[in-house]
Amino acid sequence: MTVFSFNIHAEVTEKSISLLSQQIVDHLSRDHDEFVLSEVIGSDIDKNEYLPIDLQIRPHSLIFENLSATERKQIKLLISQVLSPKGYLKLLTNLSIDNDLSKQSDRSTKHAIKFYGKPSTGSWGFKFEGYHLSLTFLLENHEFKFINFFIGQDIKMLNKTEFLPSALYNQEAQMGSDLMNGLSARQLGKTYLSMNAPNDIITNPKQSYRIQEKWGLPSKSLSKKQMPSFEYWVMQYLDLFNIQLIKRFIDEVKEHKFEELYFVWSGHLDISNKNFYYLIYNDRIIIEHSVRDNHIHSITRITF
């Protein structure tokens, strides 16, 4: 039996995460004949395909639910090192919802883990994904290259559980709605795209179109009164990740006073109407939130 020797009270760094991950990889390699480390170069993680494609388990993945209790605990520990307590709670809640829904329907709620490259080298990646859930990150020379966190749910199915969709997934959306309702007519003309919300988040790898440069309202156009609301809105998403790991990124955003971001909105400004979409982005961050009919999709992507 493998004994993991990771100090959960130690400072979290890229190197400490690599150390923990190498311990996990060594254990999985010994106890699971089907476990294979994937190459980083040329893989889906190298291409930054950050969403579950067709909701299928990727080759060389291990089914999370089939792992031992100890193994699942270590995977959760790894995830908790990358996400903040807030982000980790969102992920655990989504897992709990999926477990609940699996008892009520024939829908597959399996989740998978996959490692790319040897963590001990400092250049490696990890993916945890399943239905409406994906956490992906890639390191290069012990420094994060990107982190993507996707979460969503089927509202119709969610209503069959004890969980409230608005409390879980739309708190941040309400902040955006409040900001939008306080914009001037000229500002709305820049940021408001259409009454018709897209069918899904537009950076879905299956979509045929991509974000256009300088599309929407630049945040530097906001007034001094509006800017704090915008900053708070953006920070709700950055706060999903461990501050120790993304501090340099946040420091750069704050150094530029949140002025190098753009945002757009489509659909209803009243988020209780369900169909709406918004995007906050620049060349290093993408925040998307889509509510269409019965589906909620939300993703935060950071490129370092």
Side-chain angles (χ1 to χ4, degrees):
M1 178 179 177
T2 301
V3 177
F4 292 91
S5 57
F6 189 80
N7 183 0
I8 62 174
H9 301 293
E11 179 185 2
V12 177
T13 65
E14 286 92 337
K15 288 188 177 180
S16 69
I17 287 175
S18 295
L19 174 61
L20 171 62
S21 297
Q22 188 61 56
Q23 292 179 2
I24 295 173
V25 165
D26 291 343
H27 174 82
L28 295 176
S29 298
R30 285 192 295 267
D31 290 13
H32 297 272
D33 294 336
E34 70 276 25
F35 178 73
V36 177
L37 274 178
S38 298
E39 295 292 332
V40 173
I41 304 299
S43 68
D44 53 277
I45 202 169
D46 187 38
K47 299 173 184 176
N48 203 1
E49 294 176 356
Y50 54 89
L51 292 179
I53 308 297
D54 297 327
L55 305 179
Q56 295 178 356
I57 302 301
R58 299 180 190 276
H60 304 151
S61 298
L62 290 179
I63 303 301
F64 176 73
E65 285 78 9
N66 293 345
L67 300 178
S68 70
T70 298
E71 292 165 341
R72 292 196 304 273
K73 183 177 180 180
Q74 293 304 311
I75 294 297
K76 287 181 177 179
L77 175 59
L78 170 59
I79 292 172
S80 73
Q81 301 293 298
V82 176
L83 298 178
S84 68
K86 172 184 172 180
Y88 184 56
L89 181 59
K90 279 183 176 283
L91 182 140
L92 289 183
T93 301
N94 224 54
L95 284 176
S96 179
I97 291 171
D98 278 348
N99 290 335
D100 195 0
L101 292 178
S102 68
K103 301 172 184 177
Q104 303 182 40
S105 68
D106 296 328
R107 191 190 80 181
S108 173
T109 58
K110 297 293 185 182
H111 299 81
I113 63 164
K114 186 173 180 179
F115 284 90
Y116 302 77
K118 292 184 65 175
S120 60
T121 67
S123 298
W124 61 284
F126 173 79
K127 187 182 292 288
F128 178 90
E129 65 181 8
Y131 189 80
H132 279 141
L133 184 64
S134 179
L135 173 66
T136 308
F137 57 82
L138 180 65
L139 288 85
E140 194 171 86
N141 297 322
H142 291 296
E143 291 188 351
F144 274 100
K145 190 173 181 180
F146 70 76
I147 307 177
N148 301 323
F149 185 32
F150 166 76
I151 193 166
Q153 204 47 257
D154 183 323
I155 299 175
K156 184 182 294 185
M157 295 298 293
L158 195 60
N159 287 333
K160 297 180 181 181
T161 72
E162 61 186 19
F163 298 97
L164 299 175
S166 59
L168 285 172
Y169 302 102
N170 279 340
Q171 289 178 319
E172 297 87 355
Q174 186 60 59
M175 297 175 192
S177 175
D178 292 342
L179 176 63
M180 288 292 295
N181 281 295
L183 295 181
S184 68
R186 185 176 180 179
Q187 289 172 323
L188 277 174
K190 281 277 190 180
T191 193
Y192 192 72
L193 298 183
S194 170
M195 275 295 294
N196 299 315
N199 290 330
D200 199 354
I201 58 177
I202 66 172
T203 57
N204 184 322
K206 296 180 71 174
Q207 296 280 15
S208 60
Y209 48 91
R210 288 292 180 263
I211 295 173
Q212 302 176 34
E213 186 178 359
K214 296 182 180 178
W215 188 33
L217 179 71
S219 55
K220 63 182 178 182
S221 298
L222 295 172
S223 68
K224 290 183 179 180
K225 184 178 180 181
Q226 294 166 333
M227 184 58 83
S229 295
F230 178 74
E231 293 177 6
Y232 188 66
W233 186 25
V234 173
M235 284 304 302
Q236 296 310 299
Y237 289 94
L238 298 184
D239 283 345
L240 294 172
F241 305 101
N242 188 332
I243 185 63
Q244 296 179 69
L245 301 177
I246 69 166
K247 185 178 183 303
R248 58 189 170 94
F249 178 83
I250 291 179
D251 287 345
E252 290 175 15
V253 172
K254 290 183 176 180
E255 182 181 353
H256 295 287
K257 301 178 181 178
F258 291 81
E259 292 180 350
E260 297 185 353
L261 291 162
Y262 290 79
F263 66 102
V264 297
W265 189 290
S266 289
H268 292 279
L269 293 181
D270 178 2
I271 65 173
S272 64
N273 282 303
K274 292 186 178 180
N275 290 333
F276 66 93
Y277 165 88
Y278 58 82
L279 162 70
I280 307 168
Y281 74 100
N282 63 17
D283 59 345
R284 296 180 60 195
I285 182 170
I286 295 176
I287 297 167
E288 286 187 275
H289 190 91
S290 171
V291 178
R292 182 74 180 182
D293 299 324
N294 284 314
H295 279 83
I296 300 175
H297 289 167
S298 183
I299 185 165
T300 305
R301 305 174 61 194
I302 297 175
T303 301
F304 293 85

